[in-house]
Amino acid sequence: MGKIAVLGSVNMDIVITTGRMPKVGETIIGDQIDYFVGGKGANQAVAAARFGGKTTFLGKIGQDTFGEKVYQHLSEEQLDVRSVAQEKNIFTGIASIFKLPQDNCITVISGANELVDREYVDQVAHQIIESDVLLVQIEIPVETLQYALQLAKENGVTTLLNPAPYHDIVGELLPNVDILTPNETEFAALIGKELIPEAEMEETILAWQQTHTTRLIVTRGSQGVSFVESDKLVTVPSSKVPVVDTTGAGDTFNGILAAALSEGMSFKEAVILANRGAGLSVQKLGAQTGMPTRAAVIASEH
Ligand code: RIB
């Protein structure tokens, strides 16, 4: 079993299910409200742990009821949360999520996630160095990411960056990133475009990979997942499943990918399993609710 350290955010997701977004200045009546533990960091850690990776989550909560709830929830997963720090006088991160019939809209208020700093990385450095894979996203300060990725790289730990939400720092982080997993929008931003036409996506991925050593995997929603192997583009198609909620699908992909790679699985096999896991995760409401166990991912093969 491989060891994974996930450094990142944890949020309380407040999910409002509604038929449509209100217009500016308008009030509408929604259908349902749910509270789920989320945050890209915590979600990815849960996905890795459910897949069977020996996973440590590194992040911060605030001194409030949500902080206690998310800590309790994470403790009930097969996760090492002993280094999660509680900060005084600040609230736990919150994500306000509008779940619409066609997709979702998310606004994150960072709270304690903003206080995940270099000093914290120093305190948990041994957890990072002892891991096979360090997995990070961009819901904590970018200076912290820069510092943690460098520490991991210097110590021979495989580094995986999920560049979400996108930030212009990504290009600068690349020398310390082994694997980069943008979605199509984030990949377009990385190459300085607003959008890459679908017909140009494959050649754009190939061209980027030819000039970079960081291994690129572009997650493409219903199109599947694309990467380059032996100078050829490989696209692993998405499974055709009933979609209830896509929140956390990318997190499931990243968590399983990290766990699979940490145990020495081949790159292609790890991508295939991570993609299947993401397909299972979208079948329930909430980022973590539908995240599968390893057994469920393997069983979904047939
Ligand atoms: O990727 C989904 C996550 O993004 C949600 O759980 C929310 O907390 C935001 O961080």
Side-chain angles (χ1 to χ4, degrees), residues 9-13 36-41 43-44 93-97 104 106-108 139 162 164-165 246-251 286-288:
S9 58
V10 57
N11 297 329
M12 178 57 84
D13 290 356
F36 295 110
V37 173
K40 295 186 194 302
N43 291 344
Q44 295 182 12
I94 291 174
S96 162
I97 304 183
N104 59 40
I106 307 182
T107 304
V108 172
E139 281 185 338
N162 172 224
T246 56
T247 314
D251 298 333
Q288 296 176 16

Side-chain angles (χ1 to χ4, degrees), residues 37-162:
V37 173
K40 295 186 194 302
N43 291 344
Q44 295 182 12
V46 168
R50 288 196 191 161
F51 191 73
K54 204 168 173 336
T55 312
T56 300
F57 175 62
L58 305 168
K60 290 192 176 183
I61 55 173
Q63 202 180 29
D64 54 7
T65 323
F66 284 163
E68 282 158 27
K69 284 210 160 71
V70 303
Y71 190 80
Q72 177 63 31
H73 167 91
L74 294 177
S75 313
E76 288 161 8
E77 295 284 337
Q78 296 294 310
L79 264 182
D80 183 348
V81 288
R82 284 172 298 174
S83 296
V84 171
Q86 186 178 42
E87 286 282 348
K88 290 200 175 81
N89 306 320
I90 191 148
F91 55 91
T92 301
I94 291 174
S96 162
I97 304 183
F98 281 96
K99 160 84 185 67
L100 304 162
Q102 67 279 26
D103 210 337
N104 59 40
C105 302
I106 307 182
T107 304
V108 172
I109 307 294
S110 298
N113 297 313
E114 263 310 303
L115 303 183
V116 178
D117 52 13
R118 285 170 172 233
E119 207 182 344
Y120 176 72
V121 173
D122 286 338
Q123 284 160 19
V124 299
H126 60 287
Q127 308 257 40
I128 295 175
I129 293 168
E130 286 164 10
S131 298
D132 299 295
V133 175
L134 171 69
L135 170 58
V136 293
Q137 325 70 34
I138 318 188
E139 281 185 338
I140 58 170
V142 289
E143 316 79 66
T144 311
L145 288 179
Q146 208 148 20
Y147 190 61
L149 285 166
Q150 188 174 343
L151 172 78
K153 192 77 181 157
E154 282 169 2
N155 286 279
V157 178
T158 299
T159 53
L160 206 164
L161 170 64
N162 172 224

Side-chain angles (χ1 to χ4, degrees), residues 261-281:
L261 292 173
S262 76
E263 56 186 71
M265 204 178 279
S266 80
F267 193 77
K268 189 171 179 181
E269 186 64 11
V271 173
I272 291 171
L273 292 182
N275 193 40
R276 275 198 208 129
L280 292 169
S281 76

